[in-house]
Amino acid sequence: MSEMNEFDENGPEVIKRFMYVNRKAPYGTIYALECLEVVLVAAAFDQDVSVVFLDDGVCQLKKNQDTTGIGMKNFSKTYGALDDYDVEKIYVEKESLAARGLTEDDLVIPVEVLAADDLREVMAQQDVIISS
Amino acid sequence: MLHLINKSPFERNALDSCLRMARPGSAILLIEDGVYAALAKAAHAEKIISRMDDFSFYVLGHDVAARGLNDAPLIEGIDVVDYEGFVDLVAEHDVTQSWL
Amino acid sequence: MAYECNGVTIETDEEGYITDISLWSRELAIRIAEEENIEMDDDHWEVVNFLRNYYEEYQIAPAVRVLTKAIKKTLGVEKGNSKYLYELFPYGPAKQACKIAGLPKPTGCI
């Protein structure tokens, strides 16, 4: 375990665009939590990171989650720390929200809602896409 | 017969298959990611609403709360049950089928 | 590994982080700190309490650079810097302070 961030001094030599695409609902499977942890670890590497929520992935950001009844950690609170980890580009697909009867006001953090046509263009600009 | 649905209707066709195969009069309980099928404002809500006369629908309240859906309108006529209610449903029906 | 505190045995993982965060107490924190050769004063408690509040709000123990930045934001730059935090917790503010605060190993700490 390294306590100091080795990259702070000079920065990495090449900055790549990493996009993490979340397509799964929380709790029913482990994908959502695992992806969030990967994003937080990867945030240490000073790359250009963006996180996308589409399909059931948008459900990860639903407000008012209360997991006391299912005995699991309510990790929806952790998305609020993404800003502290300097993960600032967070996109939610408009069509996925609409299909579930959700709006931007239903989400735990401020996000950029993009229509599929616009999100497609952002995706096309990435160097690495990690999907879950 | 009691049918258990634990998959999101957006991702899997478990609910569709269940609605196609289940005999009218059956009970259908939505649990885990299956509870998203109960969202009243979702695009697929009509699937369940149109079969309200054929089946009795239930949803597990703990899974609804965990996913933050307590403040979201659920389809009218779906009964919310707790773990005791889950057990009662299993006990009331001779056979339980899980649509994994 | 385990700590003895008020006659109760509290289990830890192999790195010394307690496994059941609900068993944390100020007395236990002092016990863990002793093990780390740290005598808890007000400045140590301020960081430990900050970490516990952070965990309560976000459900994670922050990585050291995130902790430093967050402390800078709320307590000012004279406390939100590595030098100050490493003086308080010589083996790493995230590693030692999180352990004393009863939290898991920081997220994003590689």
Side-chain angles (χ1 to χ4, degrees):
Chain A
M1 177 167 70
S2 68
E3 283 283 326
M4 295 296 287
N5 183 340
E6 291 88 346
F7 306 108
D8 274 353
E9 302 302 322
N10 306 308
E13 290 188 1
V14 182
I15 292 188
K16 286 194 171 188
R17 281 167 293 219
F18 282 77
M19 174 178 272
Y20 296 86
V21 180
N22 285 279
R23 294 184 49 252
K24 299 280 199 294
Y27 310 121
T29 60
I30 198 69
Y31 293 96
L33 176 58
E34 294 276 315
C35 183
L36 177 56
E37 289 186 344
V38 168
V39 169
L40 293 176
V41 171
F45 290 95
D46 282 347
Q47 300 289 320
D48 179 341
V49 172
S50 59
V51 185
V52 174
F53 296 88
L54 58 87
D55 295 332
D56 273 348
V58 302
C59 299
Q60 295 175 26
L61 298 180
K62 178 70 182 68
K63 270 182 191 165
N64 297 326
Q65 295 180 29
D66 175 2
T67 55
T68 44
I70 62 166
M72 295 172 83
K73 185 164 92 170
N74 176 4
F75 60 87
S76 70
K77 292 180 175 183
T78 307
Y79 296 104
L82 284 173
D83 189 50
D84 287 345
Y85 278 77
D86 297 320
V87 176
E88 287 154 358
K89 294 173 187 164
I90 300 170
Y91 306 112
V92 172
E93 194 215 11
K94 190 178 170 186
E95 288 81 351
S96 299
L97 277 180
R100 288 154 187 81
L102 301 174
T103 69
E104 206 175 336
D105 292 338
D106 287 310
L107 308 181
V108 284
I109 48 166
V111 300
E112 190 172 341
V113 177
L114 291 179
D117 285 343
D118 299 320
L119 191 51
R120 180 184 309 122
E121 297 311 310
V122 182
M123 271 185 182
Q125 294 159 10
Q126 303 302 315
D127 296 306
V128 181
I129 298 186
I130 295 158
S131 190
S132 71
Chain B
M1 177 122 50
L2 172 67
H3 297 272
L4 295 181
I5 304 287
N6 77 336
K7 297 293 187 290
S8 162
F10 297 99
E11 200 186 53
R12 306 285 189 88
N13 59 8
L15 177 65
D16 292 324
S17 297
C18 172
L19 291 173
R20 190 173 77 246
M21 301 301 293
R23 282 180 85 176
S26 300
I28 299 174
L29 171 59
L30 309 170
I31 63 170
E32 299 170 16
D33 287 345
V35 303
Y36 290 113
L39 285 170
K41 288 198 282 185
H44 57 61
E46 194 52 39
K47 277 184 198 171
I48 286 186
I49 293 170
S50 65
R51 302 300 301 277
M52 273 299 183
D53 292 337
D54 296 329
F55 307 113
S56 31
F57 288 95
Y58 302 88
V59 64
L60 188 59
H62 301 290
D63 284 326
V64 171
R67 287 159 183 77
L69 307 181
N70 268 349
D71 62 356
L74 301 186
I75 295 167
E76 218 175 307
I78 299 186
D79 281 344
V80 180
V81 297
D82 58 10
Y83 291 127
E84 267 181 44
F86 188 164
V87 173
D88 289 343
L89 280 171
V90 172
E92 281 165 24
H93 296 85
D94 290 339
V95 180
T96 298
Q97 182 172 2
S98 279
W99 291 82
L100 294 180
Chain C
M1 211 182 137
Y3 295 104
E4 297 291 331
C5 184
N6 293 335
V8 182
T9 306
I10 290 155
E11 300 291 330
T12 74
D13 64 15
E14 63 272 18
E15 292 176 277
Y17 295 84
I18 65 167
T19 44
D20 182 350
I21 144 168
S22 69
L23 297 177
W24 185 87
S25 64
R26 281 181 69 91
E27 293 75 33
L28 177 63
I30 293 165
R31 263 298 287 121
I32 302 173
E34 274 171 12
E35 211 71 33
E36 299 281 327
N37 287 320
I38 287 170
E39 195 178 329
M40 294 294 286
D41 65 17
D42 288 350
D43 291 333
H44 293 102
W45 281 117
E46 188 173 48
V47 175
V48 165
N49 290 332
F50 187 92
L51 276 169
R52 289 190 58 85
N53 289 336
Y54 197 94
Y55 190 86
E56 174 64 28
E57 186 168 357
Y58 298 118
Q59 299 292 298
I60 51 165
V64 65
R65 78 199 154 81
V66 176
L67 172 70
T68 310
K69 204 175 71 175
I71 287 184
K72 187 171 163 186
K73 214 161 25 175
T74 45
L75 303 175
V77 70
E78 63 280 1
K79 289 179 176 174
N81 67 78
S82 328
K83 188 172 173 289
Y84 174 80
L85 292 170
Y86 272 87
E87 273 166 14
L88 289 176
F89 302 98
Y91 287 96
K95 189 175 158 237
Q96 285 187 306
C98 284
K99 199 180 282 184
I100 295 165
L103 306 181
K105 192 168 153 176
T107 300
C109 192
I110 313 136

